[in-house]
Amino acid sequence: MLLDTFDQLNLEEIGPRRIAVYILEDYYGKAMADLSRENLGIDGRMREMNLKSQWGKIKVRIQSLDQHSIPDEYHSIAPSLKEIRDNVAHDYDYEPPKSHLEDLREYAPQWKAWLTDQAHEYQEVRQELSARQTLIQMTRNTLQEVEQESEWLSSSASFFEEAHDDAQEMLTELDRIENSSNRITTELVHLFSDAKELSQEVNYDEAVEALVEQERQRQVDAYLEEPWLYEDM
């Protein structure tokens, strides 16, 4: 449905191209949010995140699979679409590049099919893991997600730099614990708890940033609906 709507737009004109950006954002964002919830064990907060953050979390899950491989052309899809979307939202005169939108449209169905296969494979592998392996993998995923988020988020730079360093130290500790015992030790349980706590701290700041972005978008939508109210501002 979304791609059908996209195909009906005249991309030779600026207005339809700006609308096309939001259609593509909905398509890619919804696909990542739905697959994350259903197959990748990522909670519903994915729907509140921007495309770049969504993709970062998904990459962590997929990269935990053996023989994992992400096609080169897929690495930049979410980050580049987020950049175009932000430009459209914050600059009324911005003209999205027609060729780039066409490329994103062309990749959309095959990207979604590939991501669906990867998500299903992750779910199958996860079901076969032992309790200890599952706990180790959950801890590793959590810490790698903190690494991803702390690299991308711009607010509270010093906090995120510290969180990134903490995550790296905890990953090193996780490797040591994994190689030192075949049991679920107290050390492993405590490290998992610490990793979840660190993730919650980072996610709080991310949520604040998301609220700021939502307010910006609300203001943009209000202007588009009634621009005359802002002429004297």
Side-chain angles (χ1 to χ4, degrees), residues 20-185:
V21 172
Y22 290 107
I23 293 175
L24 290 171
E25 179 188 30
D26 280 1
Y27 181 89
Y28 282 99
K30 186 176 187 303
M32 289 191 286
D34 289 347
L35 287 169
S36 295
R37 182 186 66 252
E38 296 167 5
N39 304 105
L40 296 175
I42 305 176
D43 63 31
R45 287 190 62 254
M46 285 285 283
R47 287 184 174 272
E48 303 170 13
M49 298 177 186
N50 62 53
L51 294 172
K52 192 173 182 180
S53 295
Q54 285 182 315
W55 178 241
K57 284 183 172 291
I58 283 177
K59 281 203 305 183
V60 168
R61 291 293 198 268
I62 293 175
Q63 288 170 341
S64 68
L65 295 172
D66 291 336
Q67 308 300 321
H68 139 272
S69 177
I70 297 179
D72 292 340
E73 61 269 27
Y74 293 167
H75 282 286
S76 62
I77 285 180
S80 65
L81 179 53
K82 177 187 180 297
E83 181 179 357
I84 294 175
R85 183 266 183 205
D86 290 347
N87 288 337
V88 168
H90 303 145
D91 182 354
Y92 302 126
D93 297 321
Y94 176 71
E95 302 180 15
K98 176 174 176 286
S99 61
H100 198 161
L101 297 180
E102 290 174 336
D103 287 343
L104 291 170
R105 165 61 180 91
E106 180 181 355
Y107 282 131
Q110 64 192 55
W111 170 88
K112 184 176 181 180
W114 169 83
L115 183 59
T116 300
D117 289 342
Q118 296 296 311
H120 289 165
E121 182 180 350
Y122 177 88
Q123 187 178 39
E124 292 174 1
V125 171
R126 187 180 182 188
Q127 291 172 347
E128 295 175 357
L129 295 176
S130 68
R132 177 178 175 275
Q133 289 174 314
T134 298
L135 188 56
I136 289 173
Q137 191 61 60
M138 290 172 64
T139 304
R140 192 179 307 281
N141 287 343
T142 299
L143 293 172
Q144 288 175 339
E145 287 169 5
V146 170
E147 280 192 309
Q148 292 274 356
E149 291 172 357
S150 60
E151 289 177 359
W152 289 340
L153 295 173
S154 57
S155 62
S156 305
S158 60
F159 166 78
F160 286 110
E161 182 178 354
E162 181 179 346
H164 184 271
D165 292 342
D166 289 345
Q168 289 186 323
E169 291 179 5
M170 293 167 73
L171 281 168
T172 300
E173 178 65 8
L174 179 62
D175 289 338
R176 185 192 67 79
I177 292 174
E178 182 178 12
N179 294 325
S180 65
S181 173
N182 293 321
R183 299 180 296 105
I184 297 180
T185 63

